[in-house]
Amino acid sequence: MKTKKDIRYARTFLFGFAFFIFSLSLLLFLLSNHKNRRIFIFPSVDEGRYVVEYRYLPMNPVQGNIHLFLDELLLGSGVERTKLLFARGTKVNTCFVRKGTMYLDLSGELLEPSIGVIEIKDGINLLKKNIHKNFFGIWNIEVFVDGKAAYK
């Protein structure tokens, strides 16, 4: 039968080992490169289907989390057999959130006809869906093209 001393040594060892594992985990967490996991939904070449892509974006980028997300979304998918949301060259002019409403102004390149792009209204709806999936607290999204309302 084990003595009280043996039980005390075992408990001390287990406590020390748990403290070591906790310290190592904390150290690795603090030294790691923190990234946000974001979900991107792109239209598929196959009619009526979507392609879901996961990307890890850096935390606290210079331009802001939402702006970086929108830049990545406008660049398009890294997966084959997907369409773009808008024409190539479309950029975010301004983007800000106030009281649960996001105001997004996109460049005029959005209106240019292009191959491999979905309809503008469908692209705006998919853009809104992407934002709602990734950012909590944005209830309304107002989209403008060169300062004018995209559609009513």
Side-chain angles (χ1 to χ4, degrees):
M1 186 165 168
K2 293 188 179 189
T3 64
K4 289 184 178 181
K5 238 183 190 183
D6 292 340
I7 293 172
R8 188 178 314 141
Y9 287 137
R11 283 184 186 164
T12 306
F13 174 76
L14 289 175
F15 178 74
F17 184 71
F19 182 74
F20 171 75
I21 294 296
F22 173 76
S23 301
L24 182 64
S25 299
L26 182 63
L27 179 69
L28 291 175
F29 173 76
L30 293 174
L31 294 177
S32 69
N33 190 4
H34 304 295
K35 296 192 179 220
N36 287 324
R37 182 179 182 209
R38 299 290 182 198
I39 299 169
F40 291 86
I41 303 170
F42 294 102
S44 175
V45 174
D46 305 324
E47 198 62 37
R49 300 198 56 189
Y50 295 109
V51 173
V52 177
E53 184 177 322
Y54 298 96
R55 294 185 193 171
Y56 290 92
L57 302 179
M59 291 182 75
N60 304 321
V62 175
Q63 68 268 46
N65 288 326
I66 295 175
H67 202 287
L68 176 64
F69 175 79
L70 291 170
D71 287 343
E72 290 287 323
L73 187 64
L74 293 175
L75 282 175
S77 175
V79 179
E80 292 182 24
R81 301 195 46 82
T82 57
K83 294 181 182 180
L84 293 171
L85 268 64
F86 306 113
R88 288 205 185 278
T90 303
K91 296 183 273 313
V92 177
N93 290 337
T94 57
C95 167
F96 63 93
V97 177
R98 184 168 290 142
K99 295 183 180 176
T101 301
M102 178 180 185
Y103 299 93
L104 174 62
D105 185 24
L106 299 172
S107 64
E109 287 86 359
L110 177 138
L111 301 173
E112 295 177 5
S114 184
I115 298 172
V117 178
I118 60 175
E119 295 291 324
I120 293 174
K121 187 173 181 177
D122 295 336
I124 290 174
N125 288 335
L126 193 54
L127 173 93
K128 289 179 179 182
K129 185 176 184 177
N130 273 290
I131 292 169
H132 286 302
K133 287 256 186 222
N134 286 283
F135 297 99
F136 180 75
I138 298 176
W139 307 112
N140 300 314
I141 301 170
E142 299 290 328
V143 180
F144 300 90
V145 178
D146 281 339
K148 297 179 179 103
Y151 69 90
K152 295 287 180 186

